[in-house]
Amino acid sequence: MMINLSEYKNIHCIGIGGIGLSAIAEILISRGCHVSGSDMKRSDITDNLEKHGVKIYIGHRAENVENADLIVYSAAIAEENPEIIRAREKNIPLAGRAEILGVLMDDFENSIAISGTHGKTTTTSMVSLILEQAKLEPTILVGGNLAEIGGNVKVGHSKYFVTEACEYRDSFLQLRPKIEVILNIDSDHLDYFKDIEHIVSSFDKFAKIVPEDGKIIAYDANPFVNQVIKDIPGAITYGYNENCTYYITNVAFDGNGMPVFDVNYQGEHLGKVKLSVPGEHNILNAVGAFACCHQLGVAPAVIIDTLDKFKGTQRRFDIVGTTSDGVKLVDDYAHHPTEIKATLSAAHNIPHNRLWCLFQPHTYTRTLALFDDFAEAFAEADILILAEIYAAREKNIYKISSKELAEEIKRVHPDKKVYYMDTFEEIANYVKKNAEKDDLVITMGAGDIYKVGELIISE
């Protein structure tokens, strides 16, 4: 079904409290639509939407959809949701969040989608802020909270649209970008994808969505990304190889562990970039953003200045604070072995005494599918504490727990201090008793492990 949004006036969003669907709701409001929505609980997001005039229902009930002429639902909503069932009974058209995002993108001459297994939120934020600083007034949709725009969405007044493109359940195949950035491809979301070949085939379809006059910008050193772009004429590449369209040279780290490097374009030196976010992974995120904005005609000086000021998004190496004992606390969203290694490696460049990692695995399927990779991922942490697995959308039919993962890590690294603790209070108390001055403590995971940092710092 091809949706023409101008035909619908009363749009109801199921799962409106989610970061993705709430952003769509704000864009629909800016277009003059009347929006209502439901979610299981109140949050800062639902409170903010109410201020914009959205009627919010707490709890999912059939009667919530009675006045709607279009229903939009988030990826987390099941078929047996009472509002979905009622909409089908009443023949109210239903559309997933990604489908509506694709429809909205059609209205923009320069629609940009940032994809990849890791780094989407950071790179989308970088691109958005560069276009903002270049006075191009983009409409922005980020998968995390970006302080500079006061949330995760900003409605602009131009032909530029920037969004994250999530591969989970193939939702990015509903988007219609003119420019795609492919940061990397890795094994993840194995509750949906069968294997890495299935993931690569989805990214391949995603790349084919770009029209002939569009652009694909891709990281050249990821073998799976290379598989996707090998038959695409004119693909723009970036990386460390001098054969890339954009390539990185002279990497160094300053006294605070922040990266400094040169960016070159087809043999021409464009400038030296200094980042305020740590890690080699952020060098690649920054150069992906650099290439994207340079292709849109933004001057290198504007790009470099924005990247220099960029302090990151919420829950991406987020500095929470320092305790009265001089222990520094950081929070990070890393929940995949590749991301864990990158974050711990970034932490190593920052002056510290011991490195603590307080990790909460995210979903049973991911923990099971990548169990051996998780066992190897924490080599750079001096002390590791595991909280129980965050279930998210799943039930534990696999009978797997963090305790087993702790035992396996201990087996692989017999000299490492590895603990499993039942509760956040227990973890926080252990850190408060045992962490010393200049220790660096990272709460890590895509669930609610950040609350442990709050418990530690609240003293």
Side-chain angles (χ1 to χ4, degrees), residues 80-157:
E80 53 273 20
N81 181 287
E83 296 180 25
I84 296 274
I85 292 167
R86 182 63 178 145
R88 292 204 192 286
E89 287 169 1
K90 289 192 72 181
N91 289 322
I92 303 169
L94 286 149
R97 170 194 172 272
E99 186 180 351
I100 296 301
L101 182 52
V103 171
L104 290 168
M105 287 174 99
D106 266 347
D107 289 348
F108 294 84
E109 197 182 310
N110 291 307
S111 52
I112 302 151
I114 313 287
S115 72
T117 317
H118 320 292
K120 289 186 290 291
T121 298
T122 297
T123 311
T124 305
S125 301
M126 288 172 166
V127 168
S128 300
L129 295 177
I130 292 164
L131 297 181
E132 282 262 287
Q133 187 148 332
K135 308 273 192 289
L136 295 175
E137 298 193 14
T139 291
I140 299 165
L141 216 158
V142 193
N145 280 320
L146 184 57
E148 290 87 342
I149 64 169
N152 69 312
V153 61
K154 181 173 182 183
V155 178
H157 307 281

Side-chain angles (χ1 to χ4, degrees), residues 76-363:
I77 300 302
E79 275 296 311
E80 53 273 20
N81 181 287
E83 296 180 25
I84 296 274
I85 292 167
R86 182 63 178 145
R88 292 204 192 286
E89 287 169 1
K90 289 192 72 181
N91 289 322
I92 303 169
L94 286 149
R97 170 194 172 272
E99 186 180 351
I100 296 301
L101 182 52
V103 171
L104 290 168
M105 287 174 99
D106 266 347
D107 289 348
F108 294 84
E109 197 182 310
N110 291 307
S111 52
I112 302 151
I114 313 287
S115 72
T117 317
H118 320 292
K120 289 186 290 291
T121 298
T122 297
T123 311
T124 305
S125 301
M126 288 172 166
V127 168
S128 300
L129 295 177
I130 292 164
L131 297 181
E132 282 262 287
Q133 187 148 332
K135 308 273 192 289
L136 295 175
E137 298 193 14
T139 291
I140 299 165
L141 216 158
V142 193
N145 280 320
L146 184 57
E148 290 87 342
I149 64 169
N152 69 312
V153 61
K154 181 173 182 183
V155 178
H157 307 281
S158 74
K159 58 190 180 178
Y160 294 91
F161 185 101
V162 191
T163 184
E164 272 181 48
C166 182
E167 73 278 11
Y168 184 54
R169 295 193 176 278
D170 280 336
S171 67
F172 64 176
L173 300 185
Q174 310 247 24
L175 307 186
R176 303 208 266 282
K178 301 280 169 41
I179 297 171
E180 273 179 17
V181 180
I182 306 177
L183 301 167
N184 44 60
I185 299 173
D186 201 349
S187 282
D188 199 12
H189 298 306
L190 296 168
D191 55 329
Y192 172 74
F193 293 112
K194 294 194 227 16
D195 48 29
I196 188 69
E197 282 74 28
H198 185 188
I199 299 170
V200 172
S201 120
S202 283
F203 273 90
D204 193 53
K205 289 179 191 147
F206 179 60
K208 290 188 167 76
I209 291 169
V210 175
E212 274 184 26
D213 61 345
K215 295 176 198 282
I216 291 183
I217 297 159
Y219 172 48
D220 88 308
N222 180 294
F224 306 117
V225 175
N226 266 329
Q227 227 173 297
V228 167
I229 63 167
K230 68 178 186 300
D231 299 325
I232 296 173
I236 294 153
T237 57
Y238 67 92
Y240 291 96
N241 184 331
E242 291 193 4
N243 294 324
C244 292
T245 323
Y246 293 83
Y247 61 92
I248 304 154
T249 51
N250 303 322
V251 175
F253 293 88
D254 69 14
N256 296 316
M258 299 301 164
V260 182
F261 54 94
D262 288 318
V263 176
N264 309 275
Y265 170 63
Q266 294 179 335
E268 177 197 353
H269 179 251
L270 293 182
K272 188 174 282 297
V273 176
K274 289 199 266 220
L275 294 182
S276 302
V277 285
E280 289 192 32
H281 60 300
N282 276 322
I283 296 175
L284 292 170
N285 291 338
V287 178
F290 196 122
C292 176
C293 297
H294 188 247
Q295 286 291 316
L296 287 166
V298 179
V302 173
I303 300 172
I304 289 165
D305 185 49
T306 311
L307 291 172
D308 177 34
K309 291 178 188 154
F310 177 68
K311 295 286 192 284
T313 50
Q314 198 176 7
R315 303 221 58 217
R316 305 311 191 274
F317 215 90
D318 212 351
I319 293 166
V320 178
T322 305
T323 70
S324 53
D325 296 330
V327 176
K328 184 179 259 190
L329 283 160
V330 166
D331 178 53
D332 197 273
Y333 190 74
H335 56 286
H336 183 284
T338 304
E339 297 165 353
I340 292 163
K341 286 181 188 168
T343 301
L344 294 177
S345 165
H348 256 281
N349 290 315
I350 291 167
H352 65 278
N353 176 20
R354 294 176 301 174
L355 178 57
W356 294 61
C357 181
L358 318 179
F359 180 65
Q360 178 189 45
H362 188 260
T363 73

